[in-house]
Amino acid sequence: MFADIRRNEVRTLLQRLVRGKTIGEDPNTNVVDMKAAVFDMTLNNLMMMIAGKQYYGDSDEKLEASKRFKEIVTESLQVSGATNIGDFVPLLKWIGVNKLEDKVKLVQEKRDKFMQDLIEEHKNRRKGSHWEQKNNTMIDVLLSLQDSEPDYYTDEVIRGMGMVMFTAGTDTTAITMEWALSLLLNNPEALKKAQNEIDTHIGDSSRLLDDSDLAQLPYLHGIINETLRMYPAAPLLVPHESSDECIVGSFHVPRGTMLLVNLWAIQNDAKLWDKPNEFKPERFIDFKGQRDGFRLMPFGYGRRGCPGENLAMHVAGLALGSLIQCFEWERVSEELIDMTEGPGLTMPKGIPLLAKCRPRQNIDNLLAHL
Ligand code: HEM
């Protein structure tokens, strides 16, 4: 589903890299701010699915809207990842001293306004004579349901569904791609192996990679899994609360306890993984199922597991695969890419990734016609 949108957005990303800024002697080599490039791609992809519009572009209106959206995602993730002192000293809640709660309310107002504007645009468009039922975005589908079940599909519900997808789906996917490229730049032999896998599969470089190719590219899949193992976008998953008292391992957990799963520790545990600090995509070639017990759970598990897993794997697979297929990649200096983690709920890179890229000779022709 939505494969056309993914294809178009990945092509927009490729165009952006081809036309990017040149440095030094070589007019064909660009230095790219990969953090911004992959974030804009994931945002556009979701924005097209949810609201049918693009946010990355040259117009002032698009740049302004994209800036506003990035602020909302950053602030949402900051407040979600912050420690709430009121959880530990309830007295502060009673006497009304809770700065975090005030911040959450402020961010929520911005989120509501952002989503409501999109809903109003859709409502107005639906009133117009040129609106066609078949051009449905997710908001259109939900508004049609609102027509038949107004008490359930209220604007508030639609706002909530859209905003949770934006917040949970953009940064996580973009960060994963940024970590993956950083790992590949520090491990050029793995990058070469992935390029060979894609070249062998596509054959004579007569076309760009597509969604349907992904299932036949196990090494590329291994790169994404290995990235999610070493740098999971949600290293503590998200906080859960026990609805009843229970025993986990040998620990008694009372009802109403906040539970955090240290996924990073599980996925980097030397008792479970051979040489966990080494980037080895091939370890996933013989992997049993998607999790192999519970060793790998970057999308959580169970009823509250991530509903966007499939989408994220397709977006990351197609985008990363296309970047590998179309460009030669290099670090901007001799030094290895700094892999220090920054603060935040989604474990961003401490230093955003800048990378050098040059269109590959055999792909030049395809890129020229994007
Ligand atoms: C690499 C990308 C992604 C990663 C690593 C990721 C990871 C996660 C994790 C770990 C959780 C919490 C699961 C738990 O606590 O058991 C979660 C929840 C969620 N994710 Fe994702 N996610 C990604 C992409 C997406 C995308 C693309 C979307 C949708 C467009 C999405 C939507 C959601 C939603 C709505 C929830 C909350 C589910 C609930 O509370 O029931 N995620 N994600």
Side-chain angles (χ1 to χ4, degrees):
M1 238 180 134
F2 295 119
D4 284 352
I5 294 181
R6 283 196 290 280
R7 187 178 306 121
N8 286 339
E9 294 314 325
V10 168
R11 288 184 184 185
T12 305
L13 170 67
L14 299 179
Q15 280 170 350
R16 177 176 178 167
L17 300 198
V18 173
R19 291 174 199 153
K21 177 164 72 101
T22 58
I23 52 149
E25 305 284 291
D26 182 356
N28 293 321
T29 302
N30 297 338
V31 170
V32 193
D33 172 355
M34 285 313 291
K35 183 185 177 74
V38 290
F39 185 90
D40 290 334
M41 190 276 294
T42 51
L43 167 59
N44 263 356
N45 186 56
L46 271 183
M47 187 55 83
M48 283 298 291
M49 286 166 57
I50 294 172
K53 57 199 278 192
Q54 279 190 314
Y55 260 21
Y56 170 70
D58 300 329
S59 76
D60 286 348
E61 191 200 348
K62 280 186 180 174
L63 286 175
E64 185 47 43
S66 154
K67 194 170 141 238
R68 198 170 131 214
F69 179 81
K70 278 183 196 169
E71 273 169 21
I72 293 178
V73 172
T74 311
E75 287 170 16
S76 300
L77 294 173
Q78 266 167 5
V79 293
S80 328
T83 302
N84 183 13
I85 187 83
D87 285 341
F88 303 100
V89 190
L91 179 70
L92 293 177
K93 276 193 205 164
W94 295 333
I95 57 174
V97 182
N98 199 343
K99 288 208 174 121
L100 184 64
E101 213 165 289
D102 296 341
K103 271 195 207 154
V104 171
K105 280 184 194 148
L106 211 68
V107 176
Q108 189 53 31
E109 276 166 27
K110 286 193 199 173
R111 289 155 56 101
D112 273 349
K113 160 105 180 64
F114 177 85
M115 263 319 286
Q116 193 62 40
D117 285 352
L118 291 176
I119 295 172
E120 294 307 325
E121 274 176 33
H122 276 71
K123 284 186 178 170
N124 289 335
R125 199 144 40 93
R126 283 160 62 94
K127 283 184 208 144
S129 51
H130 296 299
W131 184 72
E132 285 184 56
Q133 192 90 30
K134 65 180 165 49
N135 289 336
N136 277 350
T137 63
M138 186 185 114
I139 296 181
D140 280 323
V141 173
L142 291 167
L143 285 175
S144 301
L145 291 165
Q146 189 177 65
D147 292 340
S148 50
E149 291 178 72
D151 292 341
Y152 186 74
Y153 291 97
T154 59
D155 280 6
E156 192 184 0
V157 165
I158 301 177
R159 283 201 303 271
M161 287 172 97
M163 210 59 228
V164 79
M165 281 180 70
F166 278 132
T167 317
T170 42
D171 213 37
T172 44
T173 314
I175 278 176
T176 303
M177 276 188 276
E178 202 190 342
W179 282 119
L181 258 181
S182 305
L183 284 162
L184 289 173
L185 285 167
N186 283 350
N187 294 276
E189 67 299 339
L191 180 56
K192 194 77 220 141
K193 224 167 154 179
Q195 224 162 34
N196 287 342
E197 181 183 67
I198 295 170
D199 289 350
T200 310
H201 173 71
I202 298 285
D204 53 3
S205 312
S206 57
R207 65 177 179 87
L208 293 174
L209 194 71
D210 212 351
D211 237 29
S212 54
D213 299 310
L214 296 179
Q216 280 116 64
L217 300 171
Y219 193 74
L220 176 66
H221 191 69
I223 289 174
I224 297 170
N225 269 342
E226 182 70 337
T227 306
L228 287 164
R229 178 188 72 76
M230 296 175 82
Y231 298 94
L236 297 176
L237 298 184
V238 295
H240 290 265
E241 190 176 295
S242 51
S243 49
D244 224 331
E245 89 177 308
C246 57
I247 304 230
V248 179
S250 51
F251 296 96
H252 172 240
V253 182
R255 183 186 173 156
T257 307
M258 189 197 290
L259 299 164
L260 296 169
V261 174
N262 191 345
L263 179 72
W264 188 91
I266 298 171
Q267 295 190 163
N268 288 275
D269 187 341
K271 290 202 247 32
L272 300 173
W273 300 91
D274 176 38
K275 301 195 179 129
N277 298 334
E278 286 180 21
F279 178 65
K280 297 205 286 184
E282 54 281 0
R283 67 169 96 234
F284 288 98
I285 302 289
D286 299 321
F287 206 61
K288 296 190 199 81
Q290 276 179 302
R291 286 178 282 111
D292 196 1
F294 290 94
R295 281 203 298 160
L296 184 80
M297 285 188 293
F299 296 96
Y301 182 63
R303 271 193 298 177
R304 300 303 296 271
C306 176
E309 173 171 356
N310 219 359
L311 174 64
M313 291 303 278
H314 270 90
V315 173
L318 185 61
L320 192 67
S322 304
L323 294 176
I324 295 171
Q325 183 196 16
C326 296
F327 296 92
E328 300 295 357
W329 291 91
E330 265 178 66
R331 300 191 291 263
V332 286
S333 74
E334 296 282 297
E335 274 173 47
L336 287 178
I337 302 288
D338 187 320
M339 300 299 277
T340 314
E341 296 130 18
L345 190 71
T346 48
M347 202 163 93
K349 274 189 92 253
I351 301 173
L353 175 66
L354 286 182
K356 272 202 237 176
C357 69
R358 179 166 33 89
R360 290 178 76 202
Q361 264 177 4
N362 55 340
I363 307 283
D364 252 2
N365 196 25
L366 291 178
L367 290 176
H369 293 99
L370 276 175

